[in-house]
């Protein structure tokens, strides 16, 4: 997509794409500053009418799907506050020892053969295992969680055919997130956990969610719990996995950068920011204009959708010198992989950063080189910048 983003940013930074129903068209923003101003102005650019899909949602769909990501104002703050304490830098630092152990065992298994598939062997299980720990669910359920994520997020890719087959036509799935039957399975799974843990003082995220009274002294409704649980399962899974895979891919394309990090591991925290900028695993979210307004001189009408292309903002040459150049020492690096500045800024950003840092702090000293056996097999999606497979050959350090 990069050449399209570059052209739009230079020639039509606020660009209308006319589309047939159910999308009915949307504005594309590709300049960093325009994106930031929309993310900050939640009164004019609301999240309530959907953020993930470009599809026009009717009122019933909106009511059924609402998650933290798709609310504004007081309600958004109340929902976000519920889990805020679990994701602060200090709270996630508590997982560091666990993450180091998990990384070591993941890499031991992957490096048992010199040739292996990086996504499957290294990147795919890692974020979901962290989440399984936070939710306190057994390791045996991990593959279900991965599969659900794949089927919901990868719903434009022909490999995840159940969604394609059902989503377009089926009335049955109209009210489910991503119109996916996988969402219903996630709800059932989450509800079972909630029922087991309600009224008990467990320390996991599910227990904390069901035993708090966020909304005017009321417990979370089943719908709110479902949306919350689904968001936790989906938001941190594919995104972190694809960042780790892209990062490895970029390092193989830039051996000088890999060598620099091996020589100076203290640069890894900086590298993580550059990995996130380059990878931009979430291509976009969207907002809806609540009134007639304008962006950068372009009139926007009430009800029109505005798409914030984070991936395009992350390569805006006004902000980033040589934006296509990977530079693990880039400073400042105020990328928008997690959004930037608005109230919806990624809740899990400290956890994601920690996971990526620990992965590369462990991985880089163990290898003297890694090469691709073929170019990455990309996920077909306009939402997630994903890699499905990356076969590699590793040379272990002596
Ligand atoms: C929101 C990206 C990992 C949980 C977001 C947003 C982006 C994003 C772009 C929306 C920002 C906005 O609209 O302003 C990413 C990326 C990740 C990642 C690139 C990994 C590299 C995680 C993890 C979790 C998580 C690990 C938690 C387990 C959330 C939640 C929201 C969110 C709950 C909604 C926040 C709100 O609406 O207030 N993320 N995310 N994310 N993310 Fe992440």
């Amino acid at each position: 997509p990069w050449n399209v983003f570059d052209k739009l940013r230079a020639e039509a930074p606020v660009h209308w794409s006319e589309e047939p129903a159910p999308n009915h068209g949307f504005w594309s923003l590709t300049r960093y500053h325009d994106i930031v101003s929309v993310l900050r102005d939640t009164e004019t650019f609301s999240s309530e009418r959907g953020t993930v899909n470009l599809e026009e949602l009717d009122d019933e769909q909106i009511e059924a799907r609402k998650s933290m990501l798709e609310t504004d104002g007081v309600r958004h703050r109340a929902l976000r506050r519920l889990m805020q304490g679990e994701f602060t830098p200090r709270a996630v630092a508590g997982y560091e020892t666990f993450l180091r152990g998990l990384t070591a065992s993941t890499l031991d298994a992957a490096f048992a053969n010199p040739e292996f598939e990086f996504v499957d062997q290294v990147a795919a299980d890692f974020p979901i295992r962290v989440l399984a720990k936070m939710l306190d669910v057994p390791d045996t359920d991990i593959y279900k969680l991965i599969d659900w994520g794949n089927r919901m997020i990868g719903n434009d890719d022909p490999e995840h055919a159940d969604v394609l087959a059902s989503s377009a036509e089926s009335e049955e799935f109209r009210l489910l997130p991503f119109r996916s039957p996988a969402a219903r399975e996630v709800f059932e799974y989450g509800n079972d956990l909630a029922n087991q843990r309600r009224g008990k003082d467990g320390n996991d995220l599910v227990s904390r969610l069901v035993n708090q009274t966020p909304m005017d002294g009321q417990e979370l409704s089943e719908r709110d719990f479902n949306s919350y649980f689904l968001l936790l399962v989906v938001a941190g899974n594919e995104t972190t996995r694809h960042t780790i895979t892209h990062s490895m891919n970029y390092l193989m394309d830039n051996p000088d950068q890999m060598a620099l990090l091996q020589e100076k591991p203290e640069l890894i925290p900086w590298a993580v920011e550059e990995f996130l900028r380059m990878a931009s695993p979430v291509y976009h979210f969207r907002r809806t204009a609540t009134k007639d307004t304008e962006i950068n001189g372009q009139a926007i009408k009430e009800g029109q959708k505005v798409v914030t292309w984070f991936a395009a903002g992350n390569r805006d040459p006004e902000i980033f010198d040589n934006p296509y150049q990977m530079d693990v020492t880039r400073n400042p690096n105020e990328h928008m992989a997690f959004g930037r500045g608005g109230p919806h800024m990624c809740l899990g950003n400290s956890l994601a950063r920690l996971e990526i840092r620990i992965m590369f702090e462990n991985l880089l000293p163990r290898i003297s080189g890694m090469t691709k056996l073929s170019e990455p097999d990309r996920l077909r999606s306009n939402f997630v910048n994903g890699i499905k497979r990356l076969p590699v050959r590793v040379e272990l350090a002596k």
Side-chain angles (χ1 to χ4, degrees):
W2 307 112
N3 51 351
V4 178
F5 288 149
D6 287 344
K7 197 167 158 58
L8 284 175
R9 202 190 303 99
E11 294 170 17
V14 187
H15 177 265
W16 178 255
S17 302
E18 187 68 34
E19 293 230 315
N23 288 354
H24 302 299
F26 54 88
W27 292 103
S28 279
L29 304 188
T30 41
R31 285 195 183 161
Y32 184 95
H33 286 307
D34 291 343
I35 295 172
V36 172
S37 65
V38 163
L39 296 179
R40 290 208 167 129
D41 183 359
T42 56
E43 278 191 18
T44 314
F45 300 103
S46 164
S47 296
E48 301 247 329
R49 301 204 65 84
T51 53
V52 176
N53 307 63
L54 296 181
E55 196 186 339
E56 199 95 44
L57 303 175
D58 63 35
D59 290 346
E60 203 187 352
Q61 286 175 307
I62 289 167
E63 261 323 291
R65 294 174 186 213
K66 246 181 208 174
S67 69
M68 171 189 344
L69 204 56
E70 291 175 333
T71 48
D72 297 324
V74 176
R75 193 184 139 78
H76 169 254
R77 281 194 293 279
L79 288 170
R80 187 164 167 124
R81 214 177 296 123
L82 278 177
M83 285 284 107
Q84 197 130 283
E86 314 290 334
F87 289 100
T88 60
R90 184 195 284 233
V92 301
Y95 292 96
E96 182 149 350
T97 310
F98 167 78
L99 284 169
R100 287 198 188 281
L102 181 60
T103 316
S105 57
T106 304
L107 295 176
D108 287 346
F111 293 167
N113 294 312
E115 292 186 1
F116 63 93
E117 202 281 285
F118 189 85
V119 178
D120 188 45
Q121 299 280 299
V122 177
D125 290 16
F126 181 61
I128 204 81
R129 281 186 194 278
V130 180
L131 203 68
K133 164 107 175 145
M134 297 178 97
L135 296 169
D136 191 21
V137 299
D139 279 3
T140 43
D141 287 351
I142 279 174
Y143 294 98
K144 281 197 269 190
L145 295 168
I146 292 180
D147 180 51
W148 288 327
N150 284 341
R151 282 158 60 201
M152 285 186 285
I153 295 288
N155 61 2
D156 277 333
D157 191 292
E159 231 174 86
H160 306 297
D162 76 320
V163 182
L164 285 181
S166 62
S167 62
E169 315 91 55
S170 172
E171 195 46 24
E172 191 187 348
F173 301 124
R174 200 174 67 85
L175 297 181
L176 290 174
F178 307 102
R179 284 182 176 249
S180 169
R184 196 170 52 201
E185 293 167 43
V186 174
F187 290 166
E188 281 163 15
Y189 181 82
N191 277 314
D192 280 350
L193 294 179
N195 291 336
Q196 289 157 21
R197 297 177 188 180
R198 191 166 285 115
K200 310 213 173 89
D201 56 354
N203 223 358
D204 60 281
L205 296 192
V206 176
S207 300
R208 301 233 179 164
L209 263 182
V210 291
N211 294 319
Q212 292 193 53
T213 50
M215 315 300 273
D216 303 327
Q218 305 271 309
E219 275 183 21
L220 277 187
S221 66
E222 185 175 314
R223 186 204 63 182
D224 285 341
F225 173 79
N226 283 345
S227 305
Y228 221 118
F229 185 76
L230 186 125
L231 184 61
L232 289 176
V233 168
V234 173
N237 176 12
E238 303 255 335
T239 45
T240 313
R241 171 204 311 184
H242 295 312
T243 308
I244 290 172
T245 311
H246 276 293
S247 309
M248 197 64 242
N249 188 41
Y250 282 122
L251 287 175
M252 287 188 283
D253 286 342
N254 294 275
D256 60 316
Q257 299 282 295
M258 175 128 81
L260 181 60
L261 290 180
Q262 287 177 313
E263 197 186 315
K264 296 185 171 171
E266 65 277 15
L267 290 176
I268 291 178
W270 298 103
V272 170
E273 302 307 312
E274 183 69 344
F275 294 158
L276 285 158
R277 184 188 73 84
M278 297 288 287
S280 294
V282 178
Y283 278 132
H284 69 80
F285 271 120
R286 67 120 157 150
R287 303 291 190 261
T288 306
T290 56
K291 53 183 181 224
D292 290 353
T293 181
E294 66 171 55
I295 303 171
N296 214 342
Q298 171 63 56
I300 310 285
K301 291 211 179 69
E302 179 183 350
Q304 287 183 328
K305 284 170 287 186
V306 176
V307 177
T308 50
W309 291 99
F310 305 125
N314 274 339
R315 282 174 176 58
D316 186 339
E318 290 254 329
I319 309 294
F320 303 103
D321 290 341
N322 294 322
Y324 286 89
Q325 185 67 49
M326 178 185 218
D327 175 4
V328 296
T329 64
R330 194 181 284 277
N331 181 14
N333 191 350
E334 310 242 295
H335 64 77
M336 45 175 54
F338 296 121
R340 170 117 331 240
H344 290 276
M345 165 93 186
C346 178
L347 182 68
N349 76 81
S350 302
L351 177 64
R353 286 176 154 125
L354 183 70
E355 288 181 36
I356 302 162
R357 173 166 70 75
I358 289 181
M359 171 57 74
F360 285 93
E361 280 176 359
N362 278 269
L363 189 152
L364 291 172
R366 291 179 66 166
I367 65 172
S368 60
M370 201 182 283
T371 43
K372 289 185 245 190
L373 297 174
S374 63
E375 283 304 310
D377 182 10
R378 308 288 306 273
L379 180 76
R380 190 181 119 173
S381 167
N382 73 8
F383 177 48
V384 170
N385 182 13
I387 295 180
K388 292 192 287 188
R389 280 170 283 273
L390 179 62
V392 296
R393 181 179 178 83
V394 67
E395 278 165 51
L396 296 179
K398 293 267 166 359

